[in-house]
Amino acid sequence: MQDILTVITIEERDLLISELETQLHTGREELALWSCLLFVYRHSRLKGVREIYGRIYSLSLWGYPLKASSSGTPKLDETMLHFTDVMIQSLRENDVGRCGSAVKELIGWQFPAAEQYLRNQEIGLDELRLTPAIRLMVTTLQN
């Protein structure tokens, strides 16, 4: 994300800030990471970076319905509020290092938290790694 923020126009940066502020003011902070990931995906000139950010974005999509089905996630809400605030402030100050660190920190917190949630639901990691068709094939071959 840091490289992108050094080459975008002021208008593009301001559009991202505006999008994040809208999410903050409407109580939709959970969308802030998606906005940042999609922003990098759209603006990166490097195919590899676009692929990585696109994959991170797609991995985070499955977690959104989990939030709606849970009985409240105050830690996630607090974390996303903090992330959104930090991103807005960092973008305004043109602090690209802080933006990159905020994304890295959030993702580093979210994925282990999601894994723990799935384990609490008794969904094993082996189930997450295989598609149903492959899982059926592997199960059939083992019998």
Side-chain angles (χ1 to χ4, degrees):
M1 178 157 211
Q2 293 172 312
D3 294 335
I4 303 301
L5 295 175
T6 60
V7 297
I8 60 171
T9 66
I10 293 171
E11 291 80 18
E12 290 169 327
R13 185 197 67 190
D14 289 346
L15 284 172
L16 178 57
I17 292 171
S18 176
E19 187 175 340
L20 294 173
E21 287 176 331
T22 298
Q23 292 163 352
L24 184 65
H25 298 307
T26 59
R28 305 298 292 183
E29 301 88 15
E30 69 269 10
L31 302 177
L33 178 62
W34 290 1
S35 295
C36 293
L37 294 172
L38 286 173
F39 186 83
V40 172
Y41 178 80
R42 287 186 203 121
H43 291 88
S44 179
R45 289 178 273 147
L46 301 173
K47 181 181 178 189
V49 170
R50 287 192 310 271
E51 287 178 7
I52 290 168
Y53 275 77
R55 285 188 182 150
I56 294 171
Y57 172 77
S58 66
L59 284 172
S60 68
L61 288 177
W62 66 263
Y64 190 72
L66 293 178
K67 181 181 185 283
S69 68
S70 68
S71 58
T73 52
K75 177 65 175 162
L76 176 60
D77 294 341
E78 178 184 314
T79 301
M80 293 309 298
L81 179 63
H82 175 72
F83 171 77
T84 308
D85 281 334
V86 167
M87 287 301 293
I88 292 169
Q89 181 181 5
S90 301
L91 287 166
R92 282 191 181 135
E93 296 170 0
N94 207 30
D95 187 345
V96 295
R98 190 170 178 208
C99 288
S101 294
V103 170
K104 180 180 178 182
E105 181 181 318
L106 178 64
I107 291 172
W109 176 82
Q110 276 190 330
F111 283 113
E115 180 180 328
Q116 186 58 49
Y117 174 84
L118 294 171
R119 287 181 183 208
N120 290 345
Q121 304 304 312
E122 298 181 5
I123 298 173
L125 293 179
D126 55 327
E127 292 179 81
L128 299 174
R129 291 191 180 111
L130 301 175
T131 65
I134 294 172
R135 191 174 23 213
L136 179 60
M137 186 174 77
V138 170
T139 305
T140 304
L141 292 175
Q142 289 176 351
N143 292 332

Short mmCIF file of all heavy atoms in Angstrom, two decimals, residues 29-64:
data_model
loop_
_atom_site.label_atom_id
_atom_site.label_comp_id
_atom_site.label_asym_id
_atom_site.label_seq_id
_atom_site.Cartn_x
_atom_site.Cartn_y
_atom_site.Cartn_z
N GLU A 29 -17.60 0.73 9.54
CA GLU A 29 -16.14 0.67 9.58
C GLU A 29 -15.59 -0.67 9.10
O GLU A 29 -14.46 -0.75 8.64
CB GLU A 29 -15.60 0.92 10.99
CG GLU A 29 -15.99 2.23 11.59
CD GLU A 29 -17.31 2.18 12.33
OE1 GLU A 29 -17.83 1.09 12.63
OE2 GLU A 29 -17.86 3.27 12.59
N GLU A 30 -16.42 -1.71 9.19
CA GLU A 30 -15.93 -3.03 8.77
C GLU A 30 -15.61 -3.07 7.27
O GLU A 30 -14.92 -3.97 6.81
CB GLU A 30 -16.93 -4.14 9.13
CG GLU A 30 -18.22 -4.11 8.36
CD GLU A 30 -19.33 -3.31 9.01
OE1 GLU A 30 -19.07 -2.59 9.99
OE2 GLU A 30 -20.47 -3.41 8.54
N LEU A 31 -16.09 -2.08 6.53
CA LEU A 31 -15.80 -2.02 5.10
C LEU A 31 -14.51 -1.27 4.78
O LEU A 31 -14.07 -1.26 3.63
CB LEU A 31 -16.97 -1.36 4.36
CG LEU A 31 -18.33 -2.03 4.52
CD1 LEU A 31 -19.41 -1.23 3.80
CD2 LEU A 31 -18.29 -3.46 4.03
N ALA A 32 -13.90 -0.66 5.77
CA ALA A 32 -12.71 0.16 5.54
C ALA A 32 -11.55 -0.65 4.97
O ALA A 32 -10.88 -0.19 4.03
CB ALA A 32 -12.29 0.85 6.83
N LEU A 33 -11.30 -1.82 5.51
CA LEU A 33 -10.21 -2.64 4.98
C LEU A 33 -10.48 -3.00 3.53
O LEU A 33 -9.58 -2.94 2.68
CB LEU A 33 -9.99 -3.89 5.82
CG LEU A 33 -8.90 -4.83 5.30
CD1 LEU A 33 -7.53 -4.13 5.29
CD2 LEU A 33 -8.85 -6.10 6.12
N TRP A 34 -11.72 -3.36 3.23
CA TRP A 34 -12.07 -3.70 1.84
C TRP A 34 -11.77 -2.52 0.92
O TRP A 34 -11.23 -2.70 -0.17
CB TRP A 34 -13.54 -4.06 1.73
CG TRP A 34 -13.92 -5.35 2.36
CD1 TRP A 34 -13.11 -6.24 3.02
CD2 TRP A 34 -15.22 -5.92 2.37
NE1 TRP A 34 -13.84 -7.30 3.46
CE2 TRP A 34 -15.13 -7.14 3.08
CE3 TRP A 34 -16.44 -5.51 1.88
CZ2 TRP A 34 -16.23 -7.95 3.28
CZ3 TRP A 34 -17.54 -6.32 2.09
CH2 TRP A 34 -17.43 -7.53 2.78
N SER A 35 -12.14 -1.33 1.36
CA SER A 35 -11.89 -0.14 0.54
C SER A 35 -10.40 0.03 0.28
O SER A 35 -9.99 0.34 -0.84
CB SER A 35 -12.43 1.10 1.23
OG SER A 35 -13.82 1.05 1.33
N CYS A 36 -9.60 -0.18 1.30
CA CYS A 36 -8.14 -0.03 1.15
C CYS A 36 -7.57 -1.10 0.23
O CYS A 36 -6.73 -0.82 -0.63
CB CYS A 36 -7.46 -0.08 2.51
SG CYS A 36 -7.88 1.33 3.56
N LEU A 37 -8.02 -2.34 0.40
CA LEU A 37 -7.53 -3.43 -0.44
C LEU A 37 -7.92 -3.20 -1.90
O LEU A 37 -7.10 -3.39 -2.81
CB LEU A 37 -8.08 -4.78 0.05
CG LEU A 37 -7.60 -5.24 1.42
CD1 LEU A 37 -8.37 -6.48 1.85
CD2 LEU A 37 -6.12 -5.48 1.44
N LEU A 38 -9.15 -2.81 -2.13
CA LEU A 38 -9.61 -2.55 -3.49
C LEU A 38 -8.90 -1.34 -4.10
O LEU A 38 -8.61 -1.32 -5.29
CB LEU A 38 -11.12 -2.33 -3.53
CG LEU A 38 -11.95 -3.61 -3.36
CD1 LEU A 38 -13.43 -3.26 -3.25
CD2 LEU A 38 -11.71 -4.57 -4.48
N PHE A 39 -8.59 -0.37 -3.28
CA PHE A 39 -7.87 0.81 -3.75
C PHE A 39 -6.50 0.40 -4.29
O PHE A 39 -6.10 0.81 -5.38
CB PHE A 39 -7.73 1.82 -2.62
CG PHE A 39 -7.12 3.12 -3.04
CD1 PHE A 39 -7.91 4.10 -3.61
CD2 PHE A 39 -5.77 3.35 -2.88
CE1 PHE A 39 -7.35 5.31 -4.01
CE2 PHE A 39 -5.21 4.54 -3.27
CZ PHE A 39 -6.00 5.53 -3.84
N VAL A 40 -5.79 -0.41 -3.52
CA VAL A 40 -4.47 -0.88 -3.98
C VAL A 40 -4.64 -1.74 -5.22
O VAL A 40 -3.89 -1.60 -6.18
CB VAL A 40 -3.75 -1.66 -2.86
CG1 VAL A 40 -2.48 -2.32 -3.38
CG2 VAL A 40 -3.43 -0.74 -1.70
N TYR A 41 -5.61 -2.61 -5.23
CA TYR A 41 -5.86 -3.48 -6.38
C TYR A 41 -6.09 -2.64 -7.65
O TYR A 41 -5.57 -2.96 -8.71
CB TYR A 41 -7.07 -4.37 -6.09
CG TYR A 41 -7.44 -5.27 -7.24
CD1 TYR A 41 -6.73 -6.44 -7.47
CD2 TYR A 41 -8.48 -4.94 -8.10
CE1 TYR A 41 -7.05 -7.28 -8.53
CE2 TYR A 41 -8.81 -5.76 -9.15
CZ TYR A 41 -8.10 -6.94 -9.37
OH TYR A 41 -8.42 -7.75 -10.42
N ARG A 42 -6.86 -1.58 -7.53
CA ARG A 42 -7.18 -0.75 -8.70
C ARG A 42 -6.02 0.13 -9.15
O ARG A 42 -5.91 0.45 -10.32
CB ARG A 42 -8.36 0.17 -8.38
CG ARG A 42 -9.68 -0.53 -8.31
CD ARG A 42 -10.80 0.49 -8.14
NE ARG A 42 -11.95 -0.15 -7.54
CZ ARG A 42 -12.50 0.20 -6.40
NH1 ARG A 42 -12.05 1.23 -5.71
NH2 ARG A 42 -13.54 -0.45 -5.93
N HIS A 43 -5.17 0.55 -8.22
CA HIS A 43 -4.16 1.55 -8.55
C HIS A 43 -2.74 1.01 -8.72
O HIS A 43 -1.87 1.75 -9.16
CB HIS A 43 -4.17 2.66 -7.49
CG HIS A 43 -5.40 3.49 -7.56
ND1 HIS A 43 -6.54 3.16 -6.87
CD2 HIS A 43 -5.70 4.62 -8.24
CE1 HIS A 43 -7.48 4.06 -7.11
NE2 HIS A 43 -6.99 4.96 -7.94
N SER A 44 -2.51 -0.22 -8.37
CA SER A 44 -1.15 -0.75 -8.50
C SER A 44 -0.82 -1.03 -9.96
O SER A 44 -1.63 -1.55 -10.71
CB SER A 44 -0.99 -2.03 -7.69
OG SER A 44 0.32 -2.54 -7.86
N ARG A 45 0.40 -0.70 -10.33
CA ARG A 45 0.86 -1.00 -11.68
C ARG A 45 1.49 -2.39 -11.74
O ARG A 45 1.75 -2.91 -12.81
CB ARG A 45 1.89 0.05 -12.13
CG ARG A 45 1.24 1.40 -12.39
CD ARG A 45 2.25 2.43 -12.79
NE ARG A 45 2.77 3.01 -11.54
CZ ARG A 45 4.00 3.45 -11.37
NH1 ARG A 45 4.87 3.39 -12.33
NH2 ARG A 45 4.38 3.95 -10.22
N LEU A 46 1.72 -3.00 -10.60
CA LEU A 46 2.36 -4.31 -10.54
C LEU A 46 1.32 -5.42 -10.44
O LEU A 46 0.51 -5.46 -9.51
CB LEU A 46 3.30 -4.38 -9.34
CG LEU A 46 4.43 -3.34 -9.32
CD1 LEU A 46 5.18 -3.41 -8.01
CD2 LEU A 46 5.35 -3.52 -10.50
N LYS A 47 1.36 -6.32 -11.40
CA LYS A 47 0.39 -7.42 -11.45
C LYS A 47 0.45 -8.27 -10.18
O LYS A 47 -0.58 -8.66 -9.64
CB LYS A 47 0.66 -8.29 -12.69
CG LYS A 47 -0.31 -9.42 -12.83
CD LYS A 47 -0.02 -10.27 -14.04
CE LYS A 47 -1.01 -11.42 -14.11
NZ LYS A 47 -0.66 -12.39 -15.11
N GLY A 48 1.65 -8.55 -9.70
CA GLY A 48 1.80 -9.37 -8.49
C GLY A 48 1.15 -8.74 -7.28
O GLY A 48 0.50 -9.42 -6.48
N VAL A 49 1.30 -7.44 -7.14
CA VAL A 49 0.67 -6.72 -6.02
C VAL A 49 -0.85 -6.79 -6.16
O VAL A 49 -1.56 -7.03 -5.19
CB VAL A 49 1.16 -5.26 -5.97
CG1 VAL A 49 0.35 -4.43 -4.97
CG2 VAL A 49 2.64 -5.22 -5.62
N ARG A 50 -1.34 -6.58 -7.38
CA ARG A 50 -2.80 -6.66 -7.60
C ARG A 50 -3.31 -8.05 -7.24
O ARG A 50 -4.38 -8.19 -6.63
CB ARG A 50 -3.14 -6.32 -9.05
CG ARG A 50 -3.00 -4.85 -9.38
CD ARG A 50 -3.63 -4.49 -10.72
NE ARG A 50 -3.23 -5.35 -11.81
CZ ARG A 50 -2.17 -5.16 -12.60
NH1 ARG A 50 -1.39 -4.11 -12.40
NH2 ARG A 50 -1.89 -5.99 -13.58
N GLU A 51 -2.59 -9.09 -7.61
CA GLU A 51 -3.01 -10.46 -7.29
C GLU A 51 -3.03 -10.69 -5.78
O GLU A 51 -3.99 -11.28 -5.25
CB GLU A 51 -2.09 -11.47 -7.96
CG GLU A 51 -2.29 -11.57 -9.46
CD GLU A 51 -1.33 -12.56 -10.11
OE1 GLU A 51 -0.59 -13.27 -9.40
OE2 GLU A 51 -1.31 -12.60 -11.36
N ILE A 52 -2.01 -10.24 -5.09
CA ILE A 52 -1.94 -10.44 -3.63
C ILE A 52 -3.09 -9.71 -2.94
O ILE A 52 -3.81 -10.29 -2.12
CB ILE A 52 -0.58 -9.97 -3.08
CG1 ILE A 52 0.52 -10.93 -3.54
CG2 ILE A 52 -0.62 -9.87 -1.55
CD1 ILE A 52 1.92 -10.42 -3.30
N TYR A 53 -3.28 -8.45 -3.27
CA TYR A 53 -4.35 -7.67 -2.62
C TYR A 53 -5.73 -8.19 -3.03
O TYR A 53 -6.66 -8.19 -2.22
CB TYR A 53 -4.20 -6.18 -2.91
CG TYR A 53 -3.24 -5.52 -1.95
CD1 TYR A 53 -1.86 -5.66 -2.09
CD2 TYR A 53 -3.71 -4.78 -0.89
CE1 TYR A 53 -0.98 -5.07 -1.20
CE2 TYR A 53 -2.85 -4.18 0.02
CZ TYR A 53 -1.48 -4.33 -0.15
OH TYR A 53 -0.62 -3.76 0.75
N GLY A 54 -5.86 -8.66 -4.25
CA GLY A 54 -7.12 -9.26 -4.68
C GLY A 54 -7.43 -10.52 -3.90
O GLY A 54 -8.57 -10.77 -3.51
N ARG A 55 -6.41 -11.32 -3.63
CA ARG A 55 -6.62 -12.56 -2.85
C ARG A 55 -6.95 -12.25 -1.40
O ARG A 55 -7.81 -12.90 -0.79
CB ARG A 55 -5.40 -13.45 -2.95
CG ARG A 55 -5.31 -14.13 -4.29
CD ARG A 55 -4.23 -15.16 -4.34
NE ARG A 55 -4.20 -15.72 -5.69
CZ ARG A 55 -3.13 -16.18 -6.26
NH1 ARG A 55 -1.99 -16.19 -5.62
NH2 ARG A 55 -3.18 -16.67 -7.48
N ILE A 56 -6.25 -11.28 -0.82
CA ILE A 56 -6.56 -10.90 0.56
C ILE A 56 -8.00 -10.40 0.64
O ILE A 56 -8.75 -10.74 1.55
CB ILE A 56 -5.57 -9.84 1.08
CG1 ILE A 56 -4.17 -10.43 1.20
CG2 ILE A 56 -6.03 -9.30 2.44
CD1 ILE A 56 -3.09 -9.41 1.50
N TYR A 57 -8.39 -9.60 -0.35
CA TYR A 57 -9.77 -9.09 -0.39
C TYR A 57 -10.75 -10.26 -0.47
O TYR A 57 -11.73 -10.31 0.29
CB TYR A 57 -9.94 -8.16 -1.59
CG TYR A 57 -11.37 -7.73 -1.82
CD1 TYR A 57 -11.96 -6.77 -1.03
CD2 TYR A 57 -12.14 -8.32 -2.83
CE1 TYR A 57 -13.27 -6.37 -1.22
CE2 TYR A 57 -13.45 -7.93 -3.03
CZ TYR A 57 -14.01 -6.96 -2.23
OH TYR A 57 -15.31 -6.59 -2.42
N SER A 58 -10.52 -11.21 -1.37
CA SER A 58 -11.45 -12.33 -1.52
C SER A 58 -11.49 -13.20 -0.27
O SER A 58 -12.54 -13.71 0.10
CB SER A 58 -11.13 -13.16 -2.76
OG SER A 58 -9.89 -13.79 -2.62
N LEU A 59 -10.36 -13.35 0.42
CA LEU A 59 -10.35 -14.11 1.67
C LEU A 59 -11.18 -13.42 2.74
O LEU A 59 -11.83 -14.08 3.56
CB LEU A 59 -8.92 -14.30 2.18
CG LEU A 59 -8.07 -15.33 1.46
CD1 LEU A 59 -6.63 -15.25 1.96
CD2 LEU A 59 -8.63 -16.73 1.67
N SER A 60 -11.17 -12.11 2.73
CA SER A 60 -11.92 -11.39 3.76
C SER A 60 -13.42 -11.38 3.49
O SER A 60 -14.21 -11.15 4.41
CB SER A 60 -11.40 -9.95 3.90
OG SER A 60 -11.68 -9.20 2.76
N LEU A 61 -13.83 -11.65 2.27
CA LEU A 61 -15.26 -11.62 1.95
C LEU A 61 -16.06 -12.65 2.73
O LEU A 61 -17.19 -12.38 3.14
CB LEU A 61 -15.48 -11.84 0.45
CG LEU A 61 -15.10 -10.70 -0.47
CD1 LEU A 61 -15.31 -11.10 -1.92
CD2 LEU A 61 -15.88 -9.45 -0.14
N TRP A 62 -15.51 -13.83 2.92
CA TRP A 62 -16.28 -14.87 3.61
C TRP A 62 -16.50 -14.51 5.07
O TRP A 62 -17.43 -14.98 5.70
CB TRP A 62 -15.62 -16.24 3.48
CG TRP A 62 -14.30 -16.33 4.17
CD1 TRP A 62 -13.07 -16.19 3.61
CD2 TRP A 62 -14.05 -16.60 5.56
NE1 TRP A 62 -12.08 -16.32 4.55
CE2 TRP A 62 -12.66 -16.59 5.75
CE3 TRP A 62 -14.87 -16.82 6.65
CZ2 TRP A 62 -12.07 -16.79 7.00
CZ3 TRP A 62 -14.29 -17.04 7.90
CH2 TRP A 62 -12.89 -17.03 8.05
N GLY A 63 -15.68 -13.64 5.63
CA GLY A 63 -15.83 -13.28 7.03
C GLY A 63 -16.97 -12.32 7.31
O GLY A 63 -17.47 -12.25 8.43
N TYR A 64 -17.41 -11.59 6.31
CA TYR A 64 -18.46 -10.60 6.54
C TYR A 64 -19.76 -11.24 7.01
O TYR A 64 -20.36 -10.78 7.98
CB TYR A 64 -18.66 -9.75 5.28
CG TYR A 64 -19.54 -8.56 5.52
CD1 TYR A 64 -19.08 -7.48 6.27
CD2 TYR A 64 -20.84 -8.51 5.04
CE1 TYR A 64 -19.89 -6.38 6.52
CE2 TYR A 64 -21.65 -7.42 5.28
CZ TYR A 64 -21.17 -6.36 6.01
OH TYR A 64 -21.98 -5.29 6.26
#
